[in-house]
């Protein structure tokens, strides 16, 4: 006689997906600080600590004046793009002087110098204060700054330039130009500003 067959039959895997576990519950929120904050003395430096003091790099900030800034790739089109944007910003602020060509020429020289430093990007900043327009371009390329005498002479020769300069830091070279927005008289080069501003 044969053995009795199993009444349940052979084991077959289920034809439905396994049950997924429920999502985890939100963690308990930490208590909010009360009005009286206690000083955390564990984070304060002690006299016997020999840690090196670190400080974030000081970034250029512009406050209490109109300003505009752009980050552009350091390619051969950067000078034209930046010059158009700066002229648009200066005219948007209501300045008629210096003329578009002077603003454009100053911006192109500054951007051209920053692009020549060989970085991947440049930062262009424009700001105004006391009837002056400041244009600053950062190259974001570390290394020694090139000889600036010929470059600064070209920037200073642009009509309306009151001042210009260049400096270098670990994060790249910064070149800048300060343009006067007051029109000049036809004779003698004195400013034709408001009464009493000669």
């Amino acid at each position: 006689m044969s053995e009795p067959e199993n009444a349940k039959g052979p084991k077959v895997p289920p034809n439905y997906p396994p049950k997924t576990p429920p999502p985890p519950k939100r963690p308990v929120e930490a208590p909010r600080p009360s009005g009286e904050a206690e000083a955390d003395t564990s984070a304060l430096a002690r006299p016997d600590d020999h840690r090196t003091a670190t400080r974030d790099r000081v970034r250029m900030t512009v406050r209490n004046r109109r300003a505009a800034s752009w980050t552009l790739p350091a390619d051969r089109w950067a000078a034209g793009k930046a010059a158009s944007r700066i002229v648009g910003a200066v005219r948007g602020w209501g300045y008629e002087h210096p003329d578009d060509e002077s603003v454009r020429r100053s911006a192109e020289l500054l951007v051209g110098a920053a692009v020549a430093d060989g970085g991947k990007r440049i930062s262009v900043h424009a700001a105004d204060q006391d009837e002056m327009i400041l244009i600053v371009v950062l190259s974001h390329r570390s290394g020694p700054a090139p000889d600036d005498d010929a470059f600064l002479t070209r920037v200073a020769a642009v009509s309306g330039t009151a001042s210009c300069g260049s400096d270098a830091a670990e994060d790249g070279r910064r070149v800048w130009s300060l343009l006067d927005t007051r029109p000049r008289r036809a004779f003698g080069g004195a400013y034709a500003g408001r009464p009493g501003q000669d």
Side-chain angles (χ1 to χ4, degrees):
M1 206 167 161
S2 64
E3 296 180 13
E5 292 184 18
N6 189 354
K8 291 186 179 179
K11 289 193 174 184
V12 178
N15 60 358
Y16 54 85
K19 189 174 181 181
T20 57
K25 293 183 179 180
R26 288 180 56 189
V28 177
E29 190 174 315
R32 296 183 186 252
S34 64
E36 299 176 38
E38 295 181 16
D40 183 10
T41 58
S42 64
L44 300 176
R46 295 181 183 89
D48 57 340
D49 284 348
H50 295 291
R51 291 183 298 163
T52 305
T54 58
R55 191 175 102 183
D56 290 338
R57 180 176 61 90
V58 177
R59 301 186 67 164
M60 187 176 112
T61 57
V62 178
R63 293 189 179 115
N64 302 325
R65 65 195 75 179
R66 292 176 288 196
S69 61
W70 307 272
T71 301
L72 300 170
D75 57 25
R76 62 182 178 162
W77 296 282
K81 289 178 189 176
S84 296
R85 292 178 182 183
I86 290 172
V87 168
V90 169
R91 296 302 169 242
W93 295 335
Y95 293 112
E96 297 176 6
H97 299 281
D99 60 12
D100 288 359
E101 186 55 37
S102 296
V103 175
R104 182 175 303 280
R105 180 69 182 141
S106 184
E108 287 175 349
L109 286 170
L110 297 172
V111 170
V115 169
D117 287 349
K120 292 184 179 180
R121 64 187 173 94
I122 61 167
S123 296
V124 181
H125 305 270
D128 78 323
Q129 184 178 11
D130 300 329
E131 298 182 358
M132 296 283 197
I133 299 293
L134 173 66
I135 303 171
V136 181
V137 183
L138 297 107
S139 68
H140 300 287
R141 170 72 182 213
S142 59
D147 187 11
D148 292 326
D149 291 339
F151 161 70
L152 292 176
T153 301
R154 288 195 308 274
V155 175
V158 175
S159 175
T161 302
S163 180
C164 62
S166 172
D167 61 7
E170 292 179 3
D171 61 340
R173 182 164 66 138
R174 177 173 50 192
V175 290
W176 55 271
S177 176
L178 191 63
L179 303 174
D180 197 332
T181 63
R182 296 173 292 182
R184 294 182 176 266
R185 289 184 182 155
F187 312 129
Y191 292 110
R194 298 184 192 115
Q197 286 188 345
D198 286 339

